[in-house]
Amino acid sequence: MTGLYIHVPICISRCRYCDFYKLTPNEWDNVDLFIQGLEIELKRLPRDFAPETVFIGGGTPTALEPEKIETMYAAIARTVDLTNVVEFSSEANPGTLTPEKLAIMKAGGVNRVSIGVQSFNDKALRLLGRIHKADQAIEGYHMLREAGFDNVNIDLIQSIPGMSPEDILSDARIVAELGPEHLSYYNLIYEPGTPMTHDRDSGRILPPSDDEEADNYFAVKALLEGVGYDHYEISNFSRDGKKCMHNMLYWQGGEYFGCGPSAHSHWNGARFGNVRDLQGYCDRLQRGSNPFDEIERLSPEDKAREILVMWMRLLEGVCELGFHALTEFRMEELCGPSIEEMIEEGLLQRTDGHLRLTRDALFISNAVFTELV
Ligand SMILES: C[S@@+](CC[C@H](N)C(=O)[O-])C[C@H]1O[C@@H](n2cnc3c(N)ncnc32)[C@H](O)[C@@H]1O
Ligand code: SF4
């Protein structure tokens, strides 16, 4: 399996916690130049590249005007062999959705939409600096269904300061009522330099304690599993088998190209990172240069360790045979003593040819991963 990620670096405004590379319309209004650059970059991909998954993220792909969205999908269709695509996702912000944009996305091949909700609590949305309220997120979700999307992901954020356990369960109940095929539920990351991190460091907001976070995490897990969701990755739930195939590829060591400013690729054992500068990205491509400025080649052993910890994020665990087939390493060769120790401590378990995190380890997985790399 191979994948294609496209980074659309535009947002209506900056959320207070987010460090993804993006510009706002007052900082950049030359979307045509971005799409031209993207098309040049896509044309430079190997001729035989025909991904099974495509993921348009950002930034906010739906922040573009309808005609620009149409131009971007036309550029993708002209340059990428889409014949093998089984999952074609786009991210969407509820404050930017219209039926017209969704119809264009659908016509462009999108069959899965991921909507950034973060919380259904208006106070939490204000704290995060979101452009929409909870009602708009719910309207946006219904708009996706009316547009015919039968594979929808909702993004929520865990551990938003000021939310009580009841507020958190209320968010999970709304998800259960809406019934998206997928939920991503990542912990709030305090990225250096963001207003949210400044608020925390200056004491204006107080993050929940580790114990509170863990209680909330397991309460949400129980509620969602109770209504049929499969908790298949530390921070992800799906129903009806609709796991995110694009992310499965990342977690299981698959190869992909990332296009657009700041996007990363992993191809032929090497990693490339595109410049985190929209004008610089466009300039480089217009003059026929590479848009990337980092190339890293991991040793086969380092690569295998990296795949091990990514794959271990899946609750079914790492298939021992599959891991060996992919990396040519056995897990025991890489970190046998640590694995045995953590099995003793009840953090890992070995069943059915898989090595997996135990329930106790789910909330402290980073500590486990540190022992494995
Ligand atoms: C590119 S955004 C999704 C689409 C759109 N830009 C939006 O926000 O609605 C991808 C997701 O990353 C998550 N995210 C971004 N920064 C984060 C942070 N610091 N901590 C946790 N999640 C974050 C948010 O949940 C967001 O929905
Ligand atoms: S969370 Fe989404 S909308 Fe907010 S700044 Fe980040 S990419 Fe843009």
Side-chain angles (χ1 to χ4, degrees), residues 10-11 13-15 17-18 20 22 58-60 93 118 130:
I10 315 284
C11 286
S13 75
R14 288 165 196 277
C15 302
Y17 54 95
C18 177
F20 291 142
K22 73 269 165 182
T60 307
N93 180 305
Q118 323 313 345
R130 298 289 294 177

Side-chain angles (χ1 to χ4, degrees), residues 275-303:
V275 287
R276 212 180 137 93
D277 167 17
L278 185 45
Q279 186 66 50
Y281 166 84
C282 294
D283 289 347
R284 282 181 181 220
L285 285 159
Q286 294 286 353
R287 61 168 191 263
S289 306
N290 280 325
F292 45 81
D293 59 2
E294 301 163 21
I295 302 186
E296 186 191 14
R297 212 168 262 286
L298 292 180
S299 70
E301 184 176 332
D302 287 346
K303 181 86 209 331

Side-chain angles (χ1 to χ4, degrees), residues 3-61:
L4 172 66
Y5 171 75
I6 293 177
H7 189 85
V8 179
I10 315 284
C11 286
I12 301 297
S13 75
R14 288 165 196 277
C15 302
R16 306 187 77 251
Y17 54 95
C18 177
D19 185 37
F20 291 142
Y21 178 67
K22 73 269 165 182
L23 296 176
T24 54
N26 59 335
E27 296 168 319
W28 174 270
D29 59 4
N30 202 342
V31 171
D32 290 324
L33 194 62
F34 161 65
I35 298 172
Q36 285 162 19
L38 178 66
E39 183 161 6
I40 299 173
E41 188 182 14
L42 293 172
K43 263 192 209 143
R44 296 168 65 107
L45 298 178
R47 279 178 153 267
D48 57 353
F49 176 59
E52 280 92 351
T53 64
V54 177
F55 194 102
I56 317 257
T60 307

Side-chain angles (χ1 to χ4, degrees), residues 223-360:
L223 189 149
L224 292 174
E225 287 179 335
V227 294
Y229 280 90
D230 173 20
H231 185 194
Y232 76 100
E233 192 268 355
I234 295 172
S235 307
N236 287 276
F237 297 81
S238 68
R239 66 176 179 79
D240 306 334
K242 298 261 180 65
K243 296 176 182 173
C244 175
M245 296 174 69
H246 187 77
N247 285 341
M248 288 295 285
L249 181 132
Y250 290 159
W251 293 318
Q252 294 184 308
E255 299 219 305
Y256 52 88
F257 280 107
C259 296
S262 82
H264 281 76
S265 305
H266 175 207
W267 196 257
N268 265 342
R271 297 190 173 288
F272 313 82
N274 281 357
V275 287
R276 212 180 137 93
D277 167 17
L278 185 45
Q279 186 66 50
Y281 166 84
C282 294
D283 289 347
R284 282 181 181 220
L285 285 159
Q286 294 286 353
R287 61 168 191 263
S289 306
N290 280 325
F292 45 81
D293 59 2
E294 301 163 21
I295 302 186
E296 186 191 14
R297 212 168 262 286
L298 292 180
S299 70
E301 184 176 332
D302 287 346
K303 181 86 209 331
R305 286 180 194 281
E306 190 185 88
I307 293 174
L308 177 62
V309 295
M310 287 296 284
W311 198 335
M312 193 75 83
R313 294 187 61 89
L314 295 177
L315 270 70
E316 68 176 17
V318 183
C319 167
E320 308 202 31
L321 290 177
F323 181 78
H324 183 248
L326 182 68
T327 65
E328 297 180 7
F329 283 92
R330 296 195 188 283
M331 291 184 244
E332 295 69 36
E333 279 174 68
L334 295 173
C335 41
S338 301
I339 291 175
E340 294 314 318
E341 209 170 292
M342 287 193 283
I343 290 176
E344 289 271 299
E345 289 169 17
L347 297 173
L348 292 177
Q349 66 189 153
R350 201 182 264 123
T351 29
D352 306 330
H354 285 68
L355 182 70
R356 66 175 68 120
L357 296 170
T358 60
R359 183 185 155 89
D360 286 349

Side-chain angles (χ1 to χ4, degrees), residues 40-242:
I40 299 173
E41 188 182 14
L42 293 172
K43 263 192 209 143
R44 296 168 65 107
L45 298 178
R47 279 178 153 267
D48 57 353
F49 176 59
E52 280 92 351
T53 64
V54 177
F55 194 102
I56 317 257
T60 307
T62 52
L64 305 182
E65 295 300 320
E67 60 277 16
K68 306 295 179 198
I69 298 180
E70 200 160 18
T71 311
M72 180 174 77
Y73 282 106
I76 296 169
R78 271 196 300 275
T79 48
V80 183
D81 179 352
L82 298 173
T83 47
N84 291 345
V85 172
V86 283
E87 182 188 272
F88 191 145
S89 304
S90 172
E91 289 187 326
N93 180 305
T96 61
L97 287 182
T98 63
E100 186 189 3
K101 290 182 186 178
L102 292 174
I104 293 169
M105 286 156 60
K106 199 153 205 297
V110 172
N111 60 16
R112 179 177 186 273
V113 180
S114 171
I115 181 168
V117 171
Q118 323 313 345
S119 172
F120 293 99
N121 182 305
D122 281 335
K123 199 169 141 229
L125 293 175
R126 272 198 305 279
L127 184 85
L128 297 173
R130 298 289 294 177
I131 58 168
H132 56 88
K133 292 192 165 178
D135 284 357
Q136 261 172 297
I138 294 176
E139 275 164 32
Y141 175 83
H142 291 306
M143 212 189 284
L144 297 179
R145 294 307 199 191
E146 278 150 28
F149 289 104
D150 61 4
N151 195 358
V152 172
N153 168 62
I154 287 182
D155 277 345
L156 289 188
I157 292 185
Q158 287 179 53
S159 308
I160 301 172
M163 283 183 76
S164 67
E166 191 37 51
D167 292 337
I168 291 164
L169 279 180
S170 161
D171 271 4
R173 273 189 214 106
I174 297 175
V175 170
E177 274 163 34
L178 293 174
E181 284 67 28
H182 197 279
L183 171 72
S184 287
Y185 189 47
Y186 286 98
N187 228 10
L188 178 61
I189 299 170
Y190 289 86
E191 300 285 1
T194 56
M196 200 81 185
T197 300
H198 185 256
D199 285 354
R200 181 199 61 181
D201 295 346
S202 62
R204 280 191 56 213
I205 54 170
L206 183 66
S209 69
D210 286 352
D211 285 349
E212 286 169 320
E213 283 187 8
D215 288 349
N216 292 331
Y217 176 81
F218 285 112
V220 169
K221 172 177 165 67
L223 189 149
L224 292 174
E225 287 179 335
V227 294
Y229 280 90
D230 173 20
H231 185 194
Y232 76 100
E233 192 268 355
I234 295 172
S235 307
N236 287 276
F237 297 81
S238 68
R239 66 176 179 79
D240 306 334
K242 298 261 180 65

